[in-house]
Amino acid sequence: MFKRSINKKPAGKARPVVDYSRIFQKGKLGIVAGLRWVPLTKGERSKLFNAARDESEHSYCITPDGTQIGFFSSNPGGHGKGRGALASLALLLGQNYSHGGEEIFAFHVDAERSCLVVLRDGQPVPGFDVIGRADMVAERINTFLQLSDGTAVRRLGAADLLGNVEEIDWDLVLDEVNAKVRLKKIPDVRRMLVALAASAVLFAAVFGGVTYKLARDKRIADEQARIASDPNIVYESKIDGDLAAVTGTGQASLQRMIGGLKQIPLQIKGWRLSKVDCTPSLCNASWRRSYGNFAEFVQALPPSAMGQPQYDVFKPEDLTSARLVTQHRLEHKAAGSTVPATTAPAPKLMRTSLPLRSAVSANFFSSLQDLSMVDVKVKVEPALLFAGQGDVNQLARPVVNAAWTIEGPLWTLEDIVLEDYVAVDTFSIELETDKAAASMEQTRYKLSGKYYAKGKDF
């Protein structure tokens, strides 16, 4: 890294403290990441320079199109082309490596630091030029991908940060290092005012061109602000991903949970099954001891059991009334079979194939009403906007969901039919462990989940 040079200036003109955490060496070039990028408009440069100096920032660089300015604390080796001069990583990537569009560059600098630079059409995106811990960089990457079309983003750098990526060719990145990418010293405001006064005639000549450019930049900024405030754009950026993450949908998922439950015996070597809680991925079984010991229980576990029982759920001083919890997969291959177990995949939620909210009443709600006539309790919560907040009527293609529960005797399970737009979140059964065998009438289950529907016709 860079060495601190001896300060030969008078005590009152000491150099500012250098933030070395944002500087790294690549060959003979010192590169700066983590610049603070702000918009640059007409008449704002002096104000921005003054504010930067107040924040102990003493170096800057400007994007090639002049629309943004980046600030840094200081330059340890002076400014210009001399030893120790620094260059902006974001501008180097934009000048020598960018292909246009949205691009993410993320890599590890060393064991302590990782770096992220996001470009849009070759220009740095404010807030996404950072250097620091790997977890902070990963969080910032996820934030940007949620605000953009992730499939259209070019990704370069470290695979553990970005997944499938292109490797960075640093020879191309450093192919041309000119004044446009180097950091410069922030000029003194008073000297700048003198220079501006001397160049008044020249300024008048170019004023027309500058005015046109500023008007164009304002139109672009206004359009970006409109996009950022449009609830439909924000909603569309995440709805499909959130729908794809929903699991346990349809009758196939319910049958898979029931099948997983049937693989768990009521008794194992003196241990009685007291409760089973299933999710779309596995079942948790709770056991109470009547007699027997831990070793006999473990040796007699069914093939569906996963790993060892949890022994930390009983009181060590009362081993005679111990309780255990085991986890069970929802399917397994039959004993002696060499063919792996297979199950039909649960249907995925597709927004265009969801029913209208009003149509749910004629199907799912009607089936729940029929169940309520045979000692089954049903409950449905009011529908809410899914994958967002706000008024459904403000969105062009909203999706809503609502929580539901079904409680009833075990024999009524065969009467439950779930459409593909209905998801089961949990399935639980409590057994009476003080009896030799619980009757079907006395054993009750509880199902809970959500249904998904279109909030309006689209």
Side-chain angles (χ1 to χ4, degrees):
M1 204 58 69
F2 297 96
K3 296 181 178 179
R4 299 178 185 271
S5 59
I6 299 176
N7 189 354
K8 299 181 180 179
K9 295 183 179 181
K13 299 182 179 179
R15 279 186 178 181
V17 177
V18 180
D19 185 359
Y20 287 95
S21 66
R22 291 187 281 168
I23 304 173
F24 65 94
Q25 197 78 20
K26 201 68 179 177
K28 297 181 179 180
L29 182 65
I31 301 178
V32 178
L35 294 184
R36 181 174 66 90
W37 294 97
V38 296
L40 178 60
T41 56
K42 176 187 174 184
E44 292 293 322
R45 187 176 298 191
S46 297
K47 180 180 178 181
L48 292 174
F49 281 165
N50 288 333
R53 284 181 173 274
D54 292 340
E55 297 294 330
S56 299
E57 294 170 319
H58 298 270
S59 298
Y60 78 100
C61 57
I62 298 177
T63 55
D65 66 352
T67 60
Q68 294 186 77
I69 185 169
F71 290 107
F72 180 61
S73 59
S74 62
N75 191 327
H79 298 83
K81 299 181 179 180
R83 179 179 177 80
L86 302 180
S88 163
L89 173 62
L91 295 188
L92 271 171
L93 292 170
Q95 174 181 278
N96 299 338
Y97 215 87
S98 174
H99 291 177
E102 292 186 339
E103 302 167 300
I104 296 181
F105 301 82
F107 56 91
H108 300 293
V109 176
D110 51 39
E112 302 295 332
R113 297 177 299 168
S114 298
C115 189
L116 166 68
V117 174
V118 176
L119 301 181
R120 182 177 288 117
D121 295 329
Q123 307 301 316
V125 177
F128 295 95
D129 180 359
V130 295
I131 184 170
R133 300 189 316 274
D135 58 343
M136 181 270 289
V137 168
E139 180 181 358
R140 197 67 61 88
I141 291 172
N142 290 334
T143 299
F144 177 77
L145 291 177
Q146 289 176 1
L147 298 174
S148 65
D149 180 8
T151 60
V153 177
R154 182 186 178 211
R155 308 183 186 196
L156 305 96
D160 60 325
L161 291 172
L162 294 171
N164 296 325
V165 296
E166 304 173 34
E167 293 185 357
I168 297 178
D169 185 345
W170 284 101
D171 290 335
L172 290 179
V173 176
L174 305 176
D175 180 58
E176 182 179 3
V177 182
N178 53 32
K180 294 181 179 180
V181 301
R182 294 183 185 274
L183 270 65
K184 306 171 185 64
K185 180 180 179 180
I186 296 177
D188 184 87
V189 174
R190 288 170 296 181
R191 295 179 60 184
M192 186 171 64
L193 290 176
V194 173
L196 288 174
S199 60
V201 176
L202 178 61
F203 176 78
V206 299
F207 178 76
V210 173
T211 301
Y212 171 79
K213 182 178 180 300
L214 291 175
R216 182 201 64 183
D217 293 344
K218 186 178 185 305
R219 289 195 300 271
I220 294 174
D222 290 344
E223 178 63 14
Q224 291 175 341
R226 184 195 67 79
I227 292 174
S229 62
D230 189 333
N232 283 285
I233 294 177
V234 176
Y235 189 73
E236 292 296 327
S237 68
K238 61 175 301 188
I239 176 63
D240 289 335
D242 287 1
L243 279 175
V246 176
T247 59
T249 57
Q251 190 71 11
S253 295
L254 176 59
Q255 292 302 319
R256 188 166 178 262
M257 290 187 190
I258 295 174
L261 176 66
K262 290 180 178 179
Q263 298 175 54
I264 306 173
L266 294 176
Q267 299 184 58
I268 298 180
K269 295 294 184 179
W271 297 75
R272 293 185 180 276
L273 184 65
S274 61
K275 185 178 180 181
V276 181
D277 294 299
C278 295
T279 68
S281 58
L282 55 84
C283 288
N284 288 300
S286 300
W287 305 85
R288 291 178 181 267
R289 178 183 176 276
S290 298
Y291 61 90
N293 57 46
F294 297 132
E296 293 173 343
F297 177 83
V298 172
Q299 292 174 359
L301 282 173
S304 65
M306 302 165 58
Q308 295 295 314
Q310 297 180 20
Y311 291 100
D312 57 344
V313 296
F314 62 86
K315 297 180 180 179
E317 68 273 12
D318 189 15
L319 297 180
T320 58
S321 59
R323 301 183 186 183
L324 297 178
V325 174
T326 55
Q327 288 190 331
H328 300 259
R329 58 181 63 88
L330 298 187
E331 74 281 329
H332 68 279
K333 62 184 180 181
S337 172
T338 60
V339 181
T342 58
T343 57
K348 292 294 184 181
L349 293 179
M350 302 296 293
R351 183 159 43 155
T352 55
S353 61
L354 292 176
L356 275 170
R357 179 166 41 174
S358 57
V360 175
S361 301
N363 297 297
F364 183 52
F365 287 3
S366 295
S367 66
L368 295 182
Q369 288 175 325
D370 292 340
L371 287 172
S372 65
M373 301 177 66
V374 288
D375 191 26
V376 175
K377 297 179 181 179
V378 297
K379 183 180 180 180
V380 180
E381 300 290 342
L384 301 173
L385 179 65
F386 174 69
Q389 297 179 344
D391 188 356
V392 172
N393 295 322
Q394 292 181 344
L395 301 175
R397 301 199 305 157
V399 172
V400 298
N401 69 345
W404 56 266
T405 57
I406 301 175
E407 297 183 53
L410 198 60
W411 61 269
T412 62
L413 265 178
E414 62 185 22
D415 296 323
I416 298 176
V417 178
L418 301 182
E419 304 289 344
D420 289 349
Y421 57 83
V422 180
V424 180
D425 296 333
T426 61
F427 174 28
S428 61
I429 293 179
E430 292 196 27
L431 303 168
E432 295 187 16
T433 56
D434 57 345
K435 296 183 178 181
S439 65
M440 292 288 285
E441 291 78 10
Q442 292 176 332
T443 301
R444 299 181 69 85
Y445 66 88
K446 181 177 180 179
L447 283 171
S448 65
K450 298 181 182 69
Y451 75 81
Y452 299 81
K454 296 177 181 178
K456 61 172 65 171
D457 195 4
F458 58 79

